[in-house]
Amino acid sequence: MIKKTKGSKTAVILASVLLVFTLAATACGGGSGGKGDTVTITHYTIDSPDRTFVEKLIPDFEAKHPNIKVKVTKAPYEQFDSKLQSSIAAHNAPDVTSHWGYGGFMEYYNKGMLADMTPLMDGFKASDYNIPEDVMNIYKVDGKTYGIPLNSYVTVMLYNKDLFDKAGLPYPPTDYEDKSWTFDKMVEYAKKMTVDSTDISKAQYGVDFGWGERDQRPQYFGADVYSEDTWTNGGKPSQVNLTKPEVVAAYEKIYGLIYDQKVSPTPAFSKSVSGQFGDPFLSGKIAMSVVGSWSLAASSNFNFKVGVAAVPQGPNPKVRSVLYVDPLFILKDSKHPKEAFEWIKYLLTTDVQEKSIELSGGNPPVNQKAADKYYSNFEGIDPEQIKQVFEGAYKYGFESYNHLISNYSQINELFINELAGVENGDKKASEALPGIQEKLQKLLERVNK
Amino acid sequence: MNRAEIKQLPSRLLLFLILLAVTAAMLAPLVFMLSTALKTTKEMLVYPPRWIPEVFAWSNFRELFANSDIKFGQQYANSLIVAVFSVVGTVISSSLVAFGFARYRAKGSGFLFMLVLSTLMLPYPAIMIPQFLLFTKLGLHDSLLPLILPSFFGSAYMIFLLRQFFTTLPGELYDAGRIDGCSEFRLYWNLTLPLAGPALATVSIFSFIWSWNDLLSPVLYLDSQENFTLPIGMAAMLSSKFRIAPWNLLMAASLLSTLPIVVIFALAQRRFVQGIVLTGIK
């Protein structure tokens, strides 16, 4: 019908080629633009006030280090990993970050994302920053340091004083050496404070046992899901023991709190009183909650009087608390590891760690000198009690599996999906575990080739 | 009232009651959103939740705009810029391509069309990294351009939708246009587009909503706070595992963020519904 002349076609092609070239020409290189000898390092973190507060520390740092500029980039929690992976793929990697998303240290390490910091650490003494040596060791592989601890969270028990008063029960102790405070005693207390009712406005539960991630929970009962070599070979279990009698018994006990003892809320109840990620303890309908100590930061917002106590003594005498030590990493692709390390060291100084407590709204410093200030940061809770609970938790603590096991986000997802039926009461733990065992083995074979 | 009307009364009443119940069910979440948006931090955690807050905390809305951590106003503006330009880009490019597919027959045009449609099968995560690399290499990283430019290169879904509509327009129209001396471009610009109102309204609404709700690509491309879009800001409010989510602020933000969708829908509603009906007719 229509005749297109050759000329117009060529013109169109020419025009489009030109357009692409102009775009490319006006583009400035995405490298680190530096005038003279200043370098810019990027600190990548989660977009939430308790992480982005480091922006407020930058002016002071830059004044002390005139040759270093710090830029903070951020992403929401759910997208943290995607953005990190994309920027690494595009050779646009940040210099300093942490495993703030779903993945953990071992995952980063095994993907070859982390720089070995050992050469940078000439003259670096953990004691100068009051970091306990064993905490430093968490992020060492074969004696080389891949991460420097920054914050350390532990597992604590929070309890609702109002509900304890109403039931006429004594408050649980803060001393880990008080061996009368046992798991069974906790269940006994919980029974007295439970109102198991289908009417959600009347229902009230004694305890919410959120101890570690799902695959770590049996550890509290002295049963190990993963073989011992996991902790020494880079987080790759040679064996998983989900069908071992003691592991099965541990899971039976954990979910028995909901369905046999009926002292713990069902997931449906928790969701309905607290939303998707919320903590049901905040609703005031849970008497005791075993959780990560980050829940303490919200203590001023509670509608009731809150206390903090020791995690009760379970069947495992050695491990009563999960430690979540958040490190800082320097990425392998960092163009300025030396300057990045200066920034990390600055963040660890006693003075900055103390300031960070206030600025972040209550992040627990790894620097033990700054820790004292942290203990007195919570209104209505006695600093001495918090100190005692933290020190006990360190003494009887084990690092969270998500930092130690490779490809943890996939493993965790498997546990969440496969245990959902057990958590909702559709099946028994003993029925679900053999299937999980098989799937987990297949997954590990696939990812740890 | 005559007899026939009286006879119909019970069934009408029933219908009315059913409609009322459905409306209430649809509106309940919105009302609860408003209720939460007006609660203080302490009251939003009270259980069981109250429908009517004790104190109306209108300050939540002020807080959204005043809080320097949230930067709500800036994010709103960025989201609007991206969405509006995406609509313009999608409408122009997709309608042009669709016009070509609908009006011209050439060797391989069917195959080409299949090729365009097959891109629908590629999920965004599959092209995410290569596209990210491309824009980074072009130096457009950390600007709104990577979120806008792709829409100027057509979207397979919209091309399909518009092509189906254009093929329903009678060929005589175009013959008449040609006899009157229209250029091919004028056939598209002065003849097809004005007739395609309903379809274009549909495309506009869809592309606006997609762009308005998009979270992943803005997160990838944007580094500076001043470039952030609304979904990033709202996701960030829920980002902290270490404190209570500010549900009240989040609900206030959600309410304000549904406004443009409501406005654009109200404006285009008649044509939009028409568009859905028409595109269903062969």
Side-chain angles (χ1 to χ4, degrees):
Chain A
M1 229 30 242
I2 37 157
K3 262 176 73 179
K4 275 225 173 94
T5 52
K6 227 184 177 144
S8 69
K9 222 187 219 165
T10 330
V12 170
I13 293 174
L14 258 181
S16 36
V17 168
L18 262 176
L19 184 74
V20 171
F21 269 102
T22 21
L23 277 178
T26 51
C28 53
S32 59
K35 280 192 277 299
D37 55 356
T38 48
V39 296
T40 302
I41 56 167
T42 312
H43 176 103
Y44 174 54
T45 186
I46 295 221
D47 193 353
S48 85
D50 51 291
R51 298 278 171 230
T52 51
F53 73 91
V54 294
E55 288 175 335
K56 297 183 178 121
L57 299 166
I58 293 172
D60 179 45
F61 173 79
E62 288 179 351
K64 288 181 175 135
H65 302 82
N67 63 328
I68 310 175
K69 292 251 171 296
V70 183
K71 190 173 127 209
V72 172
T73 56
K74 49 203 168 186
Y77 175 70
E78 295 285 329
Q79 285 74 26
F80 182 85
D81 294 310
S82 327
K83 188 172 164 88
L84 181 61
Q85 296 300 344
S86 325
S87 54
I88 289 173
H91 302 298
N92 206 343
D95 300 277
V96 179
T97 189
S98 182
H99 50 205
W100 281 311
Y102 279 104
F105 166 68
M106 269 303 157
E107 193 155 326
Y108 287 23
Y109 171 79
N110 286 320
K111 278 185 178 160
M113 288 158 58
L114 305 179
D116 173 9
M117 296 193 205
T118 325
L120 301 167
M121 291 171 66
D122 244 3
F124 176 92
K125 285 217 296 292
S127 57
D128 293 349
Y129 300 92
N130 313 304
I131 304 172
E133 224 19 84
D134 50 341
V135 177
M136 280 299 292
N137 291 337
I138 296 172
Y139 296 108
K140 277 184 189 162
V141 181
D142 303 332
K144 294 188 180 122
T145 302
Y146 289 90
I148 309 257
L150 171 76
N151 297 122
S152 47
Y153 299 90
V154 300
T155 312
V156 292
M157 172 182 274
L158 298 180
Y159 61 95
N160 184 326
K161 284 185 171 172
D162 298 354
L163 294 185
F164 266 80
D165 294 344
K166 217 160 63 187
L169 289 166
Y171 298 149
T174 49
D175 184 2
Y176 266 75
E177 306 309 324
D178 179 348
K179 302 292 182 195
S180 71
W181 180 230
T182 59
F183 182 81
D184 295 332
K185 192 159 181 185
M186 173 184 84
V187 174
E188 189 190 318
Y189 278 13
K191 277 193 175 136
K192 288 180 180 151
M193 291 184 282
T194 297
V195 182
D196 190 26
S197 160
T198 43
D199 177 356
I200 205 159
S201 63
K202 288 201 187 75
Q204 173 186 308
Y205 292 96
V207 62
D208 183 22
F209 196 71
W211 194 93
E213 294 288 357
R214 288 164 181 73
D215 54 348
Q216 189 163 0
R217 254 166 239 176
Q219 198 186 17
Y220 175 86
F221 298 91
D224 289 313
V225 169
Y226 304 108
S227 50
E228 269 312 295
D229 56 3
T230 310
W231 321 125
T232 49
N233 69 4
K236 298 179 177 175
S238 61
Q239 245 190 321
V240 280
N241 318 317
L242 285 169
T243 44
K244 269 209 178 145
E246 68 260 31
V247 175
V248 177
Y251 279 113
E252 295 282 2
K253 207 156 183 173
I254 293 162
Y255 295 116
L257 289 173
I258 307 176
Y259 296 106
D260 305 335
Q261 314 269 20
K262 296 201 172 25
V263 292
S264 287
T266 59
F269 176 89
S270 299
K271 266 215 175 79
S272 63
V273 300
S274 60
Q276 186 64 29
F277 304 109
D279 181 346
F281 182 68
L282 303 177
S283 66
K285 310 187 64 71
I286 307 281
M288 294 174 276
S289 176
V290 176
V291 282
S293 57
W294 48 82
S295 291
L296 263 175
S299 63
S300 57
N301 286 327
F302 295 162
N303 284 322
F304 48 86
K305 287 204 291 298
V306 63
V308 58
V311 177
Q313 174 70 65
N316 184 344
K318 283 208 206 69
V319 182
R320 280 165 71 180
S321 163
V322 180
L323 304 181
Y324 306 83
V325 175
D326 274 352
L328 285 172
F329 306 135
I330 297 179
L331 292 187
K332 211 173 231 153
D333 297 350
S334 166
K335 295 178 189 76
H336 311 289
K338 247 182 49 209
E339 288 80 0
F341 193 63
E342 286 302 319
W343 168 240
I344 291 178
K345 280 196 294 198
Y346 170 81
L347 292 175
L348 295 173
T349 51
T350 309
D351 165 39
V352 175
Q353 285 250 301
E354 278 187 355
K355 254 198 295 195
S356 302
I357 302 167
E358 183 79 37
L359 290 173
S360 64
N363 289 0
V366 74
N367 183 322
Q368 290 307 298
K369 260 221 180 85
D372 281 331
K373 189 164 176 189
Y374 167 78
Y375 299 139
S376 54
N377 189 49
F378 304 100
E379 52 178 283
I381 308 178
D382 176 14
E384 273 310 305
Q385 290 195 319
I386 298 187
K387 186 174 177 163
Q388 219 179 5
V389 165
F390 263 76
E391 283 173 354
Y394 286 135
K395 190 173 164 188
Y396 295 98
F398 193 91
E399 187 59 27
S400 174
Y401 282 9
N402 68 338
H403 299 169
L404 303 173
I405 295 180
S406 196
N407 298 299
Y408 193 77
S409 41
Q410 291 175 59
I411 294 172
N412 196 30
E413 204 168 315
L414 180 96
F415 271 95
I416 290 172
N417 294 338
E418 297 292 326
L419 282 173
V422 181
E423 287 171 14
N424 294 321
D426 301 334
K427 48 179 156 177
K428 284 245 168 299
S430 52
E431 294 161 12
L433 287 167
I436 307 181
Q437 166 87 5
E438 220 168 294
K439 282 186 177 149
L440 184 57
Q441 266 167 339
K442 279 210 185 85
L443 172 73
L444 290 171
E445 269 161 36
R446 205 176 62 234
V447 294
N448 292 339
K449 262 198 208 97
Chain B
M1 224 188 271
N2 59 30
R3 199 170 295 184
E5 277 177 348
I6 291 172
K7 239 190 168 148
Q8 277 182 347
L9 207 58
S11 64
R12 284 213 164 177
L13 205 63
L14 189 72
L15 185 69
F16 183 72
L17 285 175
I18 291 173
L19 284 176
L20 203 66
V22 172
T23 310
M26 292 283 176
L27 281 176
L30 272 171
V31 175
F32 191 67
M33 203 154 112
L34 179 66
S35 146
T36 308
L38 294 173
K39 282 175 184 169
T40 57
T41 308
K42 271 211 165 32
E43 202 181 353
M44 81 187 180
L45 297 169
V46 170
Y47 194 84
R50 299 192 190 111
W51 280 93
I52 296 175
E54 274 182 2
V55 201
F56 283 91
W58 292 103
S59 57
N60 287 343
F61 287 90
R62 248 205 318 279
E63 165 88 351
L64 270 187
F65 288 94
N67 186 325
S68 61
D69 279 338
I70 300 179
K71 294 201 169 55
F72 186 79
Q74 174 127 47
Q75 288 165 0
Y76 211 96
N78 289 340
S79 269
L80 275 176
I81 291 169
V82 172
V84 167
F85 278 103
S86 293
V87 169
V88 171
T90 309
V91 167
I92 291 177
S93 60
S94 300
S95 64
L96 198 56
V97 174
F99 181 74
F101 277 126
R103 308 287 356 152
Y104 303 117
R105 290 272 156 270
K107 256 216 175 82
S109 65
F111 170 73
L112 270 180
F113 189 59
M114 289 311 295
L115 207 61
V116 170
L117 285 190
S118 65
T119 60
L120 278 175
M121 293 174 201
L122 285 176
Y124 179 68
I127 60 162
M128 188 168 95
I129 304 275
Q131 200 185 55
F132 181 78
L133 272 167
L134 173 81
F135 280 116
T136 312
K137 285 268 187 295
L138 290 174
L140 299 177
H141 181 261
D142 198 15
S143 76
L144 298 180
L145 279 173
L147 310 175
I148 294 168
L149 284 178
S151 66
F152 280 83
F153 293 87
S155 122
Y157 182 81
M158 305 298 185
I159 289 170
F160 177 69
L161 203 139
L162 287 168
R163 178 189 170 267
Q164 297 311 87
F165 187 87
F166 292 165
T167 45
T168 60
L169 297 173
E172 292 83 356
L173 219 68
Y174 291 91
D175 296 340
R178 288 205 179 93
I179 289 163
D180 286 345
C182 274
S183 67
E184 292 303 315
F185 184 76
R186 280 195 66 179
L187 286 180
Y188 154 76
W189 191 256
N190 295 32
L191 210 92
T192 315
L193 287 191
L195 286 171
L200 292 180
T202 310
V203 168
S204 305
I205 290 180
F206 277 162
S207 58
F208 186 91
I209 292 178
W210 284 348
S211 153
W212 188 252
N213 291 341
D214 187 18
L215 170 60
L216 190 55
S217 42
V219 166
L220 292 187
Y221 288 108
L222 306 176
D223 279 347
S224 314
Q225 181 100 29
E226 60 266 20
N227 289 334
F228 282 2
T229 57
L230 210 47
I232 302 185
M234 284 160 69
M237 287 188 196
L238 287 179
S239 266
S240 175
K241 288 199 298 186
F242 304 128
R243 62 192 37 167
I244 302 173
W247 293 111
N248 47 2
L249 293 183
L250 192 71
M251 290 305 155
S254 306
L255 272 175
L256 292 175
S257 72
T258 48
L259 278 182
I261 307 267
V262 173
V263 168
I264 193 172
F265 203 86
L267 288 176
Q269 190 198 18
R270 223 164 33 99
R271 302 207 127 182
F272 176 66
V273 175
Q274 225 179 354
I276 289 180
V277 174
L278 279 170
T279 43
I281 299 172
K282 276 295 321 188

